[in-house]
Amino acid sequence: MSEDIKTEQVADENIELEAISQESAKILDLEKQLGELTDKYYRANADFENLRKRVEKEKADIASYSNEKFARDLLPVIDALEIGSNFTPEDEFSSKIKEGIELSINEFKKALEKHGVTAVSTDGEFDPNVHNAIMRVDSDTVESGKIVQVMQKGYLINGRVLRPAMVSIAN
């Protein structure tokens, strides 16, 4: 009878080991699922943070460049004022008119600068990012690639090109 008892004990132990093995497999499976879900959570959280940052940047860009169309529409006005101030006064009345136009131009520029609109620098080297070369001229006094003459001023709004400067450059 002792052999039967031993066989039963071995069978019971095998059943217990099998149950423990199944439980271990379930635990391993659950740990794997937990790892996958944790990874998905971190990825979703990172995606959400990236989206939030992108939306904040877009909002800042919209606020920064919201006046762009309006500023572009005003550029011909300042061009006309600057052309109007390019005369030589012949008497006191015309000198007062010129002075008034120049004061208006200065106030206009201050208002534009207050909203992030600045003139493109046209001193020195040609920069295709902010200058538009419409003509090349031969020049003995100016180095090749340098700006010789400005046909139309260019403007930036918060560092972005509003209108490129129209220039001629030396060969």
Side-chain angles (χ1 to χ4, degrees):
M1 176 134 176
S2 70
E3 236 177 81
D4 288 338
I5 294 174
K6 284 185 181 179
T7 306
E8 272 183 41
Q9 285 178 344
V10 170
D12 287 342
E13 286 176 5
N14 284 343
I15 291 172
E16 285 179 26
L17 286 175
E18 202 173 299
I20 291 172
S21 175
Q22 288 176 353
E23 287 177 8
S24 294
K26 285 181 183 178
I27 289 172
L28 289 175
D29 187 44
L30 289 173
E31 285 177 347
K32 181 181 173 188
Q33 287 178 357
L34 176 65
E36 290 171 358
L37 291 174
T38 303
D39 184 52
K40 284 182 182 179
Y41 166 76
Y42 285 133
R43 287 179 188 271
N45 194 34
D47 287 343
F48 176 74
E49 284 299 313
N50 290 338
L51 177 66
R52 186 184 62 76
K53 288 176 185 176
R54 188 170 49 246
V55 167
E56 288 295 321
K57 183 184 181 309
E58 287 173 2
K59 280 178 25 181
D61 285 349
I62 287 170
S64 181
Y65 301 114
S66 64
N67 296 331
E68 184 173 353
K69 185 173 176 6
F70 180 67
R72 188 175 286 123
D73 291 343
L74 291 177
L75 294 181
V77 176
I78 198 165
D79 291 340
L81 286 171
E82 287 177 340
I83 290 169
S85 72
N86 288 337
F87 69 93
T88 306
E90 295 178 8
D91 57 10
E92 188 176 332
F93 180 72
S94 58
S95 67
K96 293 290 182 187
I97 290 175
K98 182 173 180 160
E99 184 181 329
I101 292 172
E102 289 171 350
L103 288 173
S104 296
I105 292 169
N106 289 335
E107 288 300 315
F108 205 103
K109 285 181 179 180
K110 284 180 191 175
L112 288 174
E113 286 175 4
K114 185 171 142 182
H115 294 282
V117 179
T118 55
V120 170
S121 173
T122 53
D123 299 334
E125 284 291 319
F126 172 77
D127 180 359
N129 297 315
V130 293
H131 301 127
N132 187 6
I134 58 172
M135 187 169 33
R136 284 188 167 269
V137 294
D138 293 326
S139 176
D140 296 331
T141 58
V142 181
E143 288 181 40
S144 177
K146 299 268 186 179
I147 296 172
V148 176
Q149 184 181 7
V150 178
M151 301 345 182
Q152 184 181 47
K153 281 188 175 182
Y155 291 90
L156 304 172
I157 184 167
N158 297 319
R160 188 162 77 180
V161 176
L162 187 59
R163 179 178 79 184
M166 303 287 194
V167 297
S168 63
I169 56 174
N171 274 335

